[in-house]
Amino acid sequence: MSSEQKPVSGTADTTDPADTAGPRPRRLTYAAALSALEALALVVGGAWMLVLGVTGEGGDRQQAVTGGITVLVLALLPLLAARGLLLRRGWSRGPAVITQIMALPVAYSLLKSGGAAVPAGIALTAVAVASLVLLVHPATTQALGIRGPGRAQESDQR
């Protein structure tokens, strides 16, 4: 059985930490909440862009509508990651980490733009860095049942 497959209920190998009935670590819950917050922010931003495009207030109408729809679709990534983190799905850490890495250049551009965007850049930077710290913490990794390099082979040899 590969490390990607989950054992069927009732089989002998039930040592997957993600399948334990213990409480979800707070770090995992916080990471899921931050990811959901980012999804909400993307939905609001995408809807705002879409409204500006439809009403014709944003300059180039087609670009605003396309950008709004794109941002709304991109909101699915952190939303799915948040749901997966809450349900302790090992696959969910990857999309959550990717979302945070993608948020850092956006935060940088907000910080460099000046004006009212600076506080948004500071907030986005804080959320992205905090999320990354929470997602790579050993307690989160263990709760999601993610094994480090070489550990999958060790457990298969036992």
Side-chain angles (χ1 to χ4, degrees):
M1 176 167 54
S2 75
S3 62
E4 300 292 322
Q5 296 173 333
K6 298 273 186 198
V8 178
S9 180
T11 60
D13 183 17
T14 58
T15 60
D16 189 2
D19 291 337
T20 60
R24 180 176 43 245
R26 281 185 288 160
R27 286 178 177 86
L28 188 57
T29 304
Y30 296 155
L34 289 174
S35 189
L37 179 68
E38 287 174 328
L40 177 64
L42 285 169
V43 166
V44 169
W48 179 68
M49 288 174 67
L50 197 57
V51 167
L52 287 179
V54 170
T55 60
E57 292 181 31
D60 185 6
R61 183 181 204 154
Q62 183 179 2
Q63 185 178 4
V65 170
T66 303
I69 291 170
T70 302
V71 171
L72 287 172
V73 170
L74 285 174
L76 292 174
L77 184 65
L79 185 63
L80 290 172
R83 184 175 187 275
L85 290 170
L86 285 175
L87 296 175
R88 290 183 167 184
R89 304 292 189 247
W91 60 263
S92 63
R93 190 173 81 158
V97 168
I98 289 169
T99 300
Q100 307 321 314
I101 292 171
M102 288 174 26
L104 291 173
V106 173
Y108 180 75
S109 67
L110 289 171
L111 289 170
K112 296 298 268 182
S113 67
V118 172
I122 292 170
L124 184 56
T125 302
V127 168
V129 170
S131 294
L132 282 170
V133 168
L134 292 169
L135 289 166
V136 299
H137 193 277
T140 303
T141 303
Q142 183 180 9
L144 293 173
I146 298 171
R147 299 182 196 140
R151 294 188 183 182
Q153 294 172 349
E154 289 175 12
S155 65
D156 291 343
Q157 293 174 353
R158 290 183 195 170

